[in-house]
Amino acid sequence: MRLIRGNSVLEVLLGATCGGLLVLLVGWSRGAWMPSGKPTYSPRTEDTPTSTLETFTWQARFPLSLDREPTQVFPFLLNHPDKCKVSRGVPFLLMLVMTQPQDQVVRDAIRYTWGNETTAPRVIIRRLFLMGLSPFSSSSSSSSHHLLEEDEKHGDLLQVGFLDTYHNQTLKTLMGLQWMAQYCPTTHYVLKVNGNVFLNPRLLVQQILKAEQQPRPDFITGCIYRNRIPIQRQSHPWYMPLDMFSHARYPPYCCSPGYVLSRPLALKVLSIARRVPAVHLEDVFVGLCLHQLGVEPTPSTPITFLMFGRLYNRCDFHGFALVHPFKHQELIQVWPDFQKGNTTCPLE
Ligand SMILES: *[C@@H]1O[C@H](CO)[C@@H](O)[C@H](O)[C@H]1NC(C)=O
Ligand SMILES: *[C@@H]1O[C@H](CO)[C@@H](O)[C@H](O)[C@H]1NC(C)=O
Ligand SMILES: *[C@@H]1O[C@H](CO)[C@@H](O)[C@H](O)[C@H]1NC(C)=O
């Protein structure tokens, strides 16, 4: 991967310096992370790892310039502005499913299983797949031709004009929230979910979001990580360079595979996002926004968002909202069985 293509060294370094400064400034103004109030700043040590080129590039590109709307910088290339306009009522849940352009088989599996908008009775669900530009195809004409075909058939693709890479996930989430703000401003809740999961929309809607009750304004739930220590090992996928985040621990955050938040909170996250130092781990970033807003994620008990997989079993799975990871081939296989319902399962 050519990471600094198109960036002058100056631009890259400038970006890095600004990013670093921003981290320092915001850290300065924010005080301690921990509820106990104990200072948890990690002092810079001698062995501060030198940041990778990737970090520099990423910081140079992000955050979005403050004076422009993100959609001016990264336009929606595929869009469905009317998706949330429903004749009677308003959408209860907007599902934003994160896949990459090349993942058509995954999207098909989801469409026929948990992504089916009619799976949860009595509420309106709207499902869209969010993606950026393929980082793999240089001559993207054939892949975009396939996407167009797929979108004509299903009418559910949102494509934004940025490179869909691992390090751009924060941008992807923000663009999803931006879409909600612009085109789905009446939905009660928004779910950010990755494509590699098993989801139980019925349980999510009825037991977690409690469709029959008033929506809770500052609500966010999922699998919640607390007191996590940033990983400083460069080879790790969750590597966090010290110059991007220099505190000893992250504030609480909902893990990336799937979390659901109320629309008012999503709007607050979106608006504060420009003032929070950019980190590329999108779940951590949303956690930083929540911290800045003074909002704590609501635990979902008993544990219903599983992060470390589980063998399929109908009765167990009826008690979970989300199981990660879950292969799309298996999803297709188990879904008919899952839909038989839980009536034969023993009550706890
Ligand atoms: C979604 O579910 C409804 C009702 O269960 C069914 O009629 C429809 O065919 C499903 N759609 C897809 C794409 O599977
Ligand atoms: C993020 O997307 C932008 C816009 O397409 C691109 O220039 C940048 O290289 C991407 N960053 C990474 C780290 O992939
Ligand atoms: C079946 O699931 C519903 C909600 O998903 C729950 O209220 C009910 O108790 C479950 N029944 C059994 C027998 O587990």
Side-chain angles (χ1 to χ4, degrees):
M1 204 169 27
R2 282 169 299 161
L3 284 161
I4 51 169
R5 181 187 46 203
N7 283 17
S8 73
V9 173
L10 187 64
E11 206 183 332
V12 167
L13 286 176
L14 259 178
T17 318
C18 294
L21 251 179
L22 202 57
V23 171
L24 279 176
L25 280 175
V26 175
W28 179 275
S29 66
R30 186 165 37 204
W33 293 119
M34 310 293 290
S36 63
K38 265 183 274 160
T40 54
Y41 294 119
S42 56
R44 280 177 186 260
T45 48
E46 301 310 312
D47 58 337
T48 301
T50 52
S51 304
T52 58
L53 268 182
E54 231 166 327
T55 318
F56 284 137
T57 310
W58 190 82
Q59 284 186 336
R61 293 284 182 179
F62 197 91
L64 307 165
S65 53
L66 291 166
D67 54 340
R68 287 166 77 193
E69 279 296 308
T71 41
Q72 282 180 282
V73 189
F74 302 111
F76 287 103
L77 306 173
L78 292 177
N79 197 0
H80 296 277
D82 295 336
K83 181 80 181 174
C84 283
K85 294 192 179 130
V86 289
S87 50
R88 276 176 297 128
V90 293
F92 179 74
L93 179 66
L94 170 66
M95 284 183 181
L96 292 174
V97 189
M98 306 290 165
T99 59
Q100 288 192 300
Q102 69 276 12
D103 295 334
Q104 183 174 357
V105 282
V106 176
R107 286 189 289 275
D108 276 339
I110 292 170
R111 285 182 182 111
Y112 293 109
T113 58
W114 56 257
N116 187 327
E117 292 177 342
T118 65
T119 321
R122 294 188 296 280
V123 294
I124 297 165
I125 294 181
R126 286 293 174 262
R127 174 213 65 232
L128 286 156
F129 294 98
L130 184 62
M131 65 198 72
L133 300 166
S134 171
F136 300 115
S137 50
S138 48
S139 71
S140 59
S141 61
S142 78
S143 72
S144 68
H145 174 72
H146 283 129
L147 273 187
L148 275 180
E149 239 172 48
E150 184 186 344
D151 193 43
E152 257 163 44
K153 191 164 167 206
H154 301 285
D156 60 1
L157 302 186
L158 295 179
Q159 189 180 35
V160 191
F162 66 89
L163 274 190
D164 201 333
T165 59
Y166 182 67
H167 286 96
N168 266 344
Q169 294 310 298
T170 298
L171 188 52
K172 195 166 174 176
T173 296
L174 289 179
M175 290 309 292
L177 298 184
Q178 178 67 36
W179 190 88
M180 183 216 71
Q182 231 173 317
Y183 301 107
C184 202
T186 55
T187 186
H188 289 186
Y189 292 99
V190 53
L191 170 75
K192 182 257 146 176
V193 63
N194 291 349
N196 61 340
V197 305
F198 181 101
L199 186 83
N200 181 354
R202 197 181 272 262
L203 183 119
L204 180 66
V205 165
Q206 290 174 353
Q207 270 161 247
I208 296 179
L209 301 178
K210 302 193 175 31
E212 72 288 349
Q213 294 178 11
Q214 282 295 315
R216 289 153 286 178
D218 276 342
F219 182 80
I220 178 166
T221 195
C223 130
I224 301 166
Y225 280 156
R226 294 179 194 278
N227 293 322
R228 285 272 160 153
I229 297 171
I231 292 174
Q232 314 269 275
R233 201 158 19 97
Q234 291 210 20
S235 56
H236 197 282
W238 299 349
Y239 166 59
M240 179 58 75
L242 259 181
D243 63 354
M244 224 184 231
F245 186 87
S246 57
H247 302 279
R249 293 180 188 267
Y250 294 133
Y253 65 94
C254 296
C255 339
S256 197
Y259 51 88
V260 60
L261 62 167
S262 69
R263 176 203 55 213
L265 183 57
L267 292 177
K268 286 190 210 170
V269 166
L270 194 58
S271 69
I272 207 157
R274 294 175 176 211
R275 288 184 275 134
V276 169
V279 300
H280 58 298
L281 303 177
E282 65 92 21
D283 47 5
V284 170
F285 181 76
V286 172
L288 292 171
C289 292
L290 295 178
H291 178 81
Q292 200 75 339
L293 292 165
V295 173
E296 276 268 323
T298 304
S300 71
T301 43
I303 307 255
T304 48
F305 290 79
L306 272 64
M307 282 309 107
F308 300 106
R310 182 68 72 102
L311 270 185
Y312 175 75
N313 168 299
R314 193 202 307 159
C315 292
D316 289 351
F317 271 50
H318 270 280
F320 302 142
L322 181 141
V323 180
H324 164 272
F326 208 85
K327 288 201 172 70
H328 62 91
Q329 299 93 333
E330 205 190 343
L331 196 53
I332 295 274
Q333 277 169 17
V334 305
W335 193 254
D337 178 73
F338 181 72
Q339 284 205 298
K340 284 181 197 152
N342 67 344
T343 45
T344 55
C345 301
L347 272 178
E348 279 159 33

